[in-house]
């Protein structure tokens, strides 16, 4: 194989030249044609900055201070911006970590895919429309013709990520840079996207620079692994050798942090649902969204996002909700907390009927019922400092006596979720995706809730921080009796933290039971399909 991308002695600094933050420090690696190199490591280790340096998409506060980046022998760092615009999208395709922040909210997703096709492929008319539909269908989104006319806010988190993948592949690039492209995806769509990327790679002998915190996903797609920590490379090697015998202490720590059934048993965390009172009861929950057409926008049908769900949650227990992207998991979680209008159904919190309360009557109960949203960037006010974001709920609910006590509580929460006290004085854009998610978890914990709906709270986190967060959630449950509705596509997380599991498909719960029964002896065909798609270390998709 010939060398496609060569990165040598790359150095990237943030901040002033007098006191720089060395985000990337003397990093070197190569990507051959038809090869996949995977960068793994903790959030903030320099993975994304290294990849963005290749495409010359660093923020204004960053400076490339040393090194070389060559694509097919051309030095990219010396090219004018005009020539780089011709390379991005055509020779280099990019899938960014946060689709909500990357997609244009005022353009349909079809039009955004079309931009690349028009700019780099010269397509127009029916050829353009047909290729847009092909790409949307190719990343596993049903009814692609209708979806092409929709806007990003009308799609689930997983669907947005698939649209980003379609945009990146539209120009048939020779190098694909994929920054956590499967983070927001359930396991079945994750498998489809990985297969799609590998198929595109085989067809064009495309090189892939793949960034992930999921070691199982890395195993599925990697030819070589590069492990990064604190801006530098601590280990690099062929995939099989790395997984069989990691050498660096940090690499071993990553493997030790993976959530699993075995780890749960080793730590003595009971799989049985606790014998406690029911704190939340959901009965015949329906959330339907109208489909409007024509000049007068008449309702011609409904999207049944949640269709007759019945669930219960006990005190100090964890109910995991799993299912495909678009199955209704997130919508149901928001409906339970009365953040979306219900079409039908009842939600009982203790002896309080939440669906009978007005907005003002609901407000006093907000401190008891919290949510951690899937997309940390869009769920925080970019104009507020992190300390203000965490403190906001305490102020609204009159928690703690004064600002001094609340400041101390903010520092304590930041420490609990693995951040530093001085991070309270920074803004959300100054943090990595994983760090933003930790801030959102701290915000939810600030008001000491009884129930937290966790919507993919660890999907943006590397495995070591994920382990910290999962341990924190369990400790809070043991100490405070907090209950969780845990929406996730990570079956390892389900095995590690859940007491009961509900499997959703097309708005309905198709299987519900104890975690051991559902994961080890699934009854519904969809559950069996879901578990079969889970990526496993030692079982390559190419095998």
């Amino acid at each position: 194989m010939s060398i496609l991308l060569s990165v040598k002695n790359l150095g990237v600094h943030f901040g002033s030249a007098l006191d720089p933050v060395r985000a990337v420090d003397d990093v070197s690696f190569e990507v051959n044609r038809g090869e996949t190199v995977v960068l793994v490591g903790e959030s903030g280790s320099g993975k994304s900055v290294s990849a963005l340096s290749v495409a010359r998409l660093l923020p204004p506060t960053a400076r490339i201070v040393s090194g070389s980046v060559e694509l097919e022998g051309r030095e990219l760092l010396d090219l004018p911006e005009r020539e780089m615009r011709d390379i991005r999208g055509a020779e280099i395709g990019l899938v960014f970590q946060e689709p909500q922040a990357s997609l244009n909210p005022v353009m349909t997703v079809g039009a955004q895919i079309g931009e690349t096709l028009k700019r780099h492929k010269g397509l127009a008319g029916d050829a353009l429309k047909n290729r847009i539909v092909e790409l949307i269908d190719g990343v596993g989104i049903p009814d692609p013709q209708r979806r092409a006319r929709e806007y990003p806010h009308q799609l689930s988190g997983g669907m947005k990520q698939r649209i980003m993948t379609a945009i990146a592949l539209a120009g048939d690039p020779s190098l694909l840079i994929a920054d956590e492209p499967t983070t927001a995806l359930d396991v079945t769509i994750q498998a489809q996207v990985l297969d799609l990327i590998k198929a595109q790679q085989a067809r064009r002998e495309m090189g892939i620079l793949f960034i992930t915190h999921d070691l199982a996903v890395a195993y599925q797609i990697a030819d070589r692994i590069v492990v990064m920590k604190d801006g530098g490379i601590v280990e690099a090697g062929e995939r099989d050798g790395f997984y069989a015998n990691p050498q660096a202490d940090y690499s071993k720590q990553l493997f030790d942090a993976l959530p699993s059934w075995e780890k749960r048993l080793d730590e003595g965390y009971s799989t049985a649902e606790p014998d406690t009172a029911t704190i939340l009861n959901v009965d015949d929950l329906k959330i339907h969204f109208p489909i409007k057409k024509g000049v007068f926008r008449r309702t011609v049908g409904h999207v049944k996002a949640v269709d007759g769900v019945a669930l219960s949650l006990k005190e100090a227990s964890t109910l995991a909700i799993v299912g495909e992207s678009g199955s209704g998991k997130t919508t149901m979680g928001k409906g339970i907390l009365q953040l979306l209008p219900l079409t039908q159904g009842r939600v009982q919190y203790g002896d309080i009927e939440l669906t009978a309360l007005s907005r003002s009557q609901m407000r006093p109960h907000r401190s008891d019922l919290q949510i951690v949203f899937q997309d940390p960037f869009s769920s925080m006010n970019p104009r507020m400092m992190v300390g203000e974001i965490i403190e906001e709920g305490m102020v609204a609910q009159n928690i703690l006596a004064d600002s001094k006590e609340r400041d101390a509580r903010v520092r304590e929460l930041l420490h609990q979720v693995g951040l530093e006290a001085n991070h309270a004085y920074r803004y959300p854009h100054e943090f990595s995706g994983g760090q933003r998610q930790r801030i959102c978890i701290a915000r939810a914990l600030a008001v000491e809730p009884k129930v937290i709906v966790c919507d993919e709270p660890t999907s943006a986190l590397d495995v070591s921080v994920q382990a910290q967060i999962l341990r924190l959630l369990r400790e809070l449950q043991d100490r405070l009796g907090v209950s969780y509705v845990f929406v996730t596509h990570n079956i390892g997380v389900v095995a590690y933290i859940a007491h009961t599991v509900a499997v959703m498909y097309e708005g309905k719960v198709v299987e519900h039971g104890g975690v051991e029964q559902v994961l080890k002896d699934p009854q519904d065909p969809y559950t069996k399909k879901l578990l079969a798609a889970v990526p496993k270390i030692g079982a390559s998709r190419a095998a």
Side-chain angles (χ1 to χ4, degrees):
M1 292 186 290
S2 61
I3 296 174
L4 175 65
L5 174 70
S6 176
V7 177
K8 296 178 181 177
N9 308 117
L10 181 67
V12 181
H13 293 178
F14 283 76
S16 70
L18 296 176
D19 186 24
V21 175
R22 300 174 186 271
V24 175
D25 191 16
D26 197 28
V27 164
S28 300
F29 59 87
E30 293 176 347
V31 179
N32 296 318
R33 287 189 177 278
E35 181 187 44
T36 302
V37 174
V38 177
L39 302 182
V40 298
E42 287 189 300
S43 174
S45 65
K47 307 185 303 293
S48 295
V49 174
S50 297
L52 290 173
S53 299
V54 172
R56 298 256 307 270
L57 287 175
L58 290 170
T61 53
R63 307 184 311 281
I64 297 177
V65 296
S66 63
S68 168
V69 177
E70 293 185 356
L71 180 68
E72 299 184 288
R74 287 175 299 171
E75 177 55 66
L76 298 185
L77 300 185
D78 293 337
L79 294 181
E81 177 59 24
R82 175 179 52 80
E83 292 186 37
M84 280 303 301
R85 284 197 294 266
D86 292 334
I87 290 173
R88 297 187 203 108
E91 297 179 53
I92 300 177
L94 297 118
V95 181
F96 295 105
Q97 183 176 3
E98 293 177 346
Q100 180 66 32
S102 303
L103 293 171
N104 190 328
V106 299
M107 291 177 64
T108 65
V109 295
Q112 295 184 61
I113 297 171
E115 281 189 319
T116 298
L117 295 171
K118 287 185 285 187
R119 174 72 169 79
H120 298 292
K121 291 295 185 180
L123 296 184
D126 290 341
L128 176 64
K129 293 177 182 177
N130 292 338
R131 183 59 180 149
I132 290 170
V133 171
E134 284 178 11
L135 286 163
I136 295 175
D137 183 59
V139 293
I141 296 180
D143 197 1
Q145 290 183 325
R146 177 171 66 87
R147 294 297 188 182
R149 299 189 297 270
E150 293 185 339
Y151 292 86
H153 73 272
Q154 295 175 281
L155 305 180
S156 67
M159 286 183 179
K160 290 172 193 169
Q161 191 62 285
R162 281 179 272 169
I163 291 295
M164 284 296 303
T165 304
I167 293 171
L169 294 174
D172 291 325
S174 57
L175 173 67
L176 179 69
I177 298 176
D179 189 355
E180 301 280 8
T182 61
T183 293
L185 306 183
D186 59 86
V187 289
T188 54
I189 301 303
Q190 176 177 266
Q192 291 177 24
V193 170
L194 292 177
D195 287 343
L196 170 71
I197 291 173
K198 295 298 282 186
Q200 289 284 331
Q201 181 180 44
R203 184 173 67 84
R204 286 187 47 84
E205 204 179 6
M206 180 173 65
I208 299 174
L209 182 60
F210 195 99
I211 299 169
T212 184
H213 62 266
D214 191 325
L215 289 172
V217 168
Y219 187 90
Q220 302 299 306
I221 200 167
D223 295 302
R224 287 190 293 121
I225 301 287
V226 176
V227 183
M228 295 189 66
K229 183 178 189 296
D230 297 332
I233 294 175
V234 297
E235 184 170 0
E238 299 295 322
R239 182 198 68 174
D240 291 343
F242 170 76
Y243 280 88
N245 187 26
Q247 297 298 305
D249 290 340
Y250 176 68
S251 301
K252 296 173 184 177
Q253 291 170 16
L254 292 181
F255 281 100
D256 291 341
L258 289 172
S260 66
W261 186 264
E262 292 73 21
K263 184 179 179 182
R264 177 180 188 153
L265 296 180
D266 289 343
E267 295 179 359
Y269 185 53
S270 175
T271 62
E273 186 178 23
D275 185 17
T276 53
T278 298
I279 192 170
L280 197 66
N281 195 61
V282 179
D283 182 41
D284 195 29
L285 186 69
K286 294 183 180 180
I287 303 176
H288 297 173
F289 297 107
I291 301 172
K292 297 181 181 291
K293 289 186 177 180
V295 176
F296 297 104
R297 309 301 293 163
R298 291 192 175 93
T299 299
V300 297
H302 288 84
V303 175
K304 298 180 179 181
V306 179
D307 195 24
V309 167
L311 295 170
S312 62
L313 177 69
K314 291 191 173 184
E315 293 178 356
S317 72
T318 301
L319 166 65
I321 310 294
V322 298
E324 288 187 299
S325 174
S327 64
K329 308 186 301 294
T330 296
T331 302
M332 184 191 68
K334 291 179 179 179
I336 289 173
L337 299 186
Q338 308 301 293
L339 297 176
L340 287 174
L342 305 186
T343 305
Q344 184 177 310
R346 296 172 62 251
V347 179
Q348 190 88 13
Y349 167 61
D351 57 356
I352 302 168
E353 174 57 57
L354 299 182
T355 48
L357 301 180
S358 66
R359 180 175 295 184
S360 59
Q361 291 172 325
M362 182 68 196
R363 184 171 181 177
H365 303 292
R366 290 290 180 199
S367 60
D368 289 341
L369 303 161
Q370 285 290 298
I371 186 169
V372 177
F373 291 103
Q374 181 177 5
D375 188 337
F377 187 75
S378 64
S379 63
M380 289 190 286
N381 188 333
R383 297 181 179 181
M384 295 175 67
M385 288 190 293
V386 163
E388 295 171 323
I389 290 170
I390 296 173
E391 187 182 7
E392 187 177 23
M394 292 188 280
V395 173
Q397 295 292 337
N398 295 315
I399 293 173
L400 299 180
D402 53 36
S403 60
K404 185 177 181 180
E405 289 188 11
R406 288 194 291 269
D407 287 344
R409 176 65 174 153
V410 167
R411 291 194 296 271
E412 178 188 354
L413 287 163
L414 286 170
H415 178 71
Q416 281 184 326
V417 297
L419 296 174
E420 298 175 9
N422 62 7
H423 288 163
Y425 305 104
R426 299 184 186 179
Y427 291 90
H429 73 271
E430 298 180 77
F431 295 88
S432 69
Q435 289 170 322
R436 289 175 193 150
Q437 191 63 286
R438 283 181 265 174
I439 293 166
C440 290
I441 292 170
R443 176 177 59 182
L445 295 174
V447 293
E448 298 184 350
K450 301 294 189 298
V451 176
I452 303 178
V453 174
C454 302
D455 188 1
E456 302 281 7
T458 61
S459 65
L461 306 182
D462 59 85
V463 289
S464 61
V465 178
Q466 175 180 261
Q468 294 173 22
I469 295 301
L470 293 175
R471 281 197 298 270
L472 171 63
L473 293 175
R474 278 180 23 180
E475 289 169 6
L476 290 168
Q477 191 169 73
D478 291 340
R479 181 162 54 88
L480 303 174
V482 183
S483 303
Y484 304 115
V485 177
F486 205 101
V487 177
T488 183
H489 63 266
N490 190 327
I491 302 300
V493 170
V494 174
Y496 181 73
I497 199 170
H499 297 101
T500 55
V501 182
V503 182
M504 288 192 72
Y505 180 64
E506 294 184 345
K508 297 179 181 292
V509 172
V510 297
E511 186 157 357
H512 184 205
V515 62
E516 187 168 11
Q517 179 266 306
V518 172
L519 296 188
K520 293 191 174 182
D521 186 26
Q523 301 300 307
D524 189 84
Y526 173 72
T527 308
K528 295 177 182 178
K529 174 186 172 184
L530 195 69
L531 295 177
V534 176
K536 299 178 179 65
I537 295 175
S540 172
R541 296 196 60 76

